Amino acid sequence: MSESNRGTDRLVEVFMEGMAGVTPDVPPSFEELEAAALEAMDERAYGYVAGGAGGERTIDHNRDAFADWHLWPRVLRDFDDRDLSTELLDTEMSVPVLLAPIGVQSIVHEDGELGTARGAAAQDVPVVVSSAASHTMEEISEELGSTPGWFQLYWSSNDDVAKSFVRRAEAAGYEALVVTVDNNALGWRERDVGDGYLPFLDGEGVANYFADEAFRELLDSPPEEAELAAIRTFIDVFGDPSLTFDDLEWLCEFAEIPVVVKGVLHPDDAREAVARGADAVWVSNHGGRQVDNAVPALDALPKVASALPADVPVIFDSGVRRGADALIALALGADAVGLGRPYAYGLAVDGADGVEAVCKNFLADLDLTLGLVGYDDVEAVDREAVVRAEEV
Ligand code: FNR
């Protein structure tokens, strides 16, 4: 058992600094963090990160869904030694949290994913690296060091590029492949449409493609000589709306590392994904970026979890902002949660240090709330930890 004192350690740290008149640069409150990121970022880039599909009802509903559940604290249960560690698909994780894949981080901060990897590694928080990263997966893996990394695949419509990404991820030491299936076409995002803004067209978020042998084969001239033409080719091959479960089955055979299917909301899709060979399911509605007024991810979670055999890991994201949110998700069947926008805002506000601060605060909150609800081990959190608000 690895003991955690992340909560108390962090409180001691901030209160000692407070006595010296120093308060944290990165606000502990998500709402204040988002406001600080708005100040720090280019307006269109902020719109890209904060925005969602259509009228952005899914973003709101993702958050509202947490209010339907209350944690139900139990007392006098000895939570002196707490264990936040877990194992997912043979990946040893010191915390039940992964940084969810977020592309084009160079629009958030000049250090982009390298800053995120440094900040996450400082707290040993596993990172899922996006296909649409602004640095190559190989460079980001170097920054992660011994902190676990998974690679998120956007399945290219060009088979050679897709296969090449999988082999590169394996060679770079990523421990699992997260194939995102809810973004096979870009959603209708009113902020980006209104701004006429797609960062890829500025050559952001294409590093994995421009460095890829199979992608470069498709070009008449290398991207270093003809960037616009390369960007056009990137747009052509980026996604593939024709994908089906047969393709997923093929991928699960082809990949030599475990495959996680990200973007599942319906229990039947979860069952089918596992029947076709997926090793884990990631419940997510992409943070409300794809379908307006979609099912809140938290509402889908218990339905998906109960549709699957107990030994199939379930990961959850979309709306996780605080430690209590993570615990509610763990109680409703998740084995780990993905943190999304909060760390992107940390990156915007203070680069790698900002990501580290967001991770530190989130894990401190999770650690303390875990104990105060009556558990000393995240793997023991179960349905007993929560009650539907209307049932209290
Ligand atoms: C994302 N997300 C995402 N997902 C993915 O599989 N690959 C990607 O490249 C991206 N890129 C991306 C960019 C930005 C700016 C955002 C905000 C999100 C979705 C991400 O992994 C996760 O599902 C959501 O961020 C979860 O929602 P919240 O909790 O951030 O609201």
Side-chain angles (χ1 to χ4, degrees):
M1 163 149 168
S2 61
E3 285 175 25
S4 165
N5 231 334
R6 286 178 184 257
T8 337
D9 290 350
R10 180 66 177 147
L11 287 179
V12 169
E13 183 180 37
V14 292
F15 295 145
M16 292 304 285
E17 285 174 4
M19 282 174 64
V22 178
T23 52
D25 291 335
V26 177
S29 131
F30 173 76
E31 293 72 20
E32 287 176 27
L33 178 63
E34 190 166 47
L38 173 60
E39 288 292 307
M41 287 173 74
D42 166 83
E43 210 173 309
R44 295 184 315 165
Y46 176 80
Y48 182 79
V49 176
E56 301 187 347
R57 284 170 291 182
T58 311
I59 296 182
D60 293 341
H61 295 167
N62 279 343
R63 291 294 308 141
D64 295 346
F66 284 92
D68 294 342
W69 295 94
H70 290 313
L71 289 164
W72 202 335
R74 302 296 303 272
V75 296
L76 298 175
R77 289 189 159 198
D78 182 2
F79 61 91
D80 194 29
D81 295 329
R82 294 176 299 287
D83 187 359
L84 298 187
S85 69
T86 193
E87 193 183 320
L88 275 190
L89 305 172
D90 298 335
T91 300
E92 300 281 349
M93 300 176 25
S94 59
V95 290
V97 179
L98 303 116
L99 296 193
I102 288 191
V104 274
Q105 293 182 24
S106 53
I107 65 168
V108 175
H109 187 275
E110 59 188 358
D111 294 344
E113 294 78 5
L114 300 182
T116 291
R118 277 181 219 125
Q123 291 296 310
D124 198 27
V125 179
V127 177
V128 187
V129 172
S130 169
S131 283
S134 334
H135 297 271
T136 65
M137 60 181 106
E138 291 83 4
E139 292 165 328
I140 302 167
S141 166
E142 287 286 313
E143 293 293 340
L144 280 173
S146 60
T147 295
W150 290 0
F151 181 72
Q152 178 266 322
L153 180 71
Y154 273 140
W155 197 318
S156 172
S157 60
N158 182 287
D159 280 352
D160 293 335
V161 174
K163 287 182 192 164
S164 171
F165 271 34
V166 176
R167 290 291 175 253
R168 282 173 60 197
E170 290 163 354
Y174 289 96
E175 296 179 47
L177 191 70
V178 176
V179 56
T180 297
V181 292
D182 62 2
N183 197 34
N184 293 342
L186 194 64
W188 178 259
R189 301 177 189 156
E190 290 178 7
R191 296 196 212 200
D192 299 340
V193 174
D195 287 338
Y197 178 66
L198 187 65
F200 306 104
L201 299 181
D202 298 331
E204 309 280 355
V206 293
N208 279 319
Y209 296 81
F210 282 14
D212 191 83
E213 290 299 326
F215 179 81
R216 293 172 76 95
E217 286 284 312
L218 306 174
L219 306 174
D220 294 331
S221 317
E224 300 77 33
E225 286 167 24
E227 193 190 22
L228 262 185
I231 291 171
R232 221 167 288 135
T233 304
F234 162 80
I235 299 290
D236 287 344
V237 304
F238 176 68
D240 184 357
S242 76
L243 291 171
T244 68
F245 279 100
D246 289 343
D247 299 295
L248 176 67
E249 191 168 337
W250 175 87
L251 180 71
C252 293
E253 286 282 316
F254 180 76
E256 287 170 6
I257 49 179
V259 173
V260 183
V261 181
K262 175 172 182 281
V264 174
L265 293 169
H266 199 291
D268 290 348
D269 285 346
R271 272 190 215 100
E272 176 92 31
V274 171
R276 299 299 191 111
D279 298 284
V281 170
W282 189 316
V283 176
S284 167
N285 59 28
H286 217 101
R289 299 167 71 75
Q290 289 296 91
V291 177
D292 191 17
N293 216 16
V295 173
L298 193 72
D299 289 354
L301 173 63
K303 295 182 171 61
V304 168
S306 59
L308 296 175
D311 61 345
V312 176
V314 175
I315 299 150
F316 170 83
D317 77 27
S318 296
V320 175
R321 301 289 176 261
R322 294 186 161 91
D325 302 334
L327 284 169
I328 290 171
L330 295 177
L332 293 178
D335 296 287
V337 298
L339 196 62
R341 289 183 176 96
Y343 84 82
Y345 293 147
L347 182 68
V349 170
D350 202 10
D353 290 345
V355 174
E356 181 178 359
V358 167
C359 292
K360 231 184 201 184
N361 288 341
F362 183 79
L363 293 169
D365 181 7
L366 173 60
D367 178 44
L368 289 170
T369 311
L370 174 80
L372 291 167
V373 171
Y375 292 85
D376 64 1
D377 181 355
V378 284
E379 291 188 335
V381 175
D382 55 9
R383 184 65 178 70
E384 297 285 299
V386 289
V387 60
R388 267 206 167 273
E390 76 239 13
E391 285 166 18
V392 194

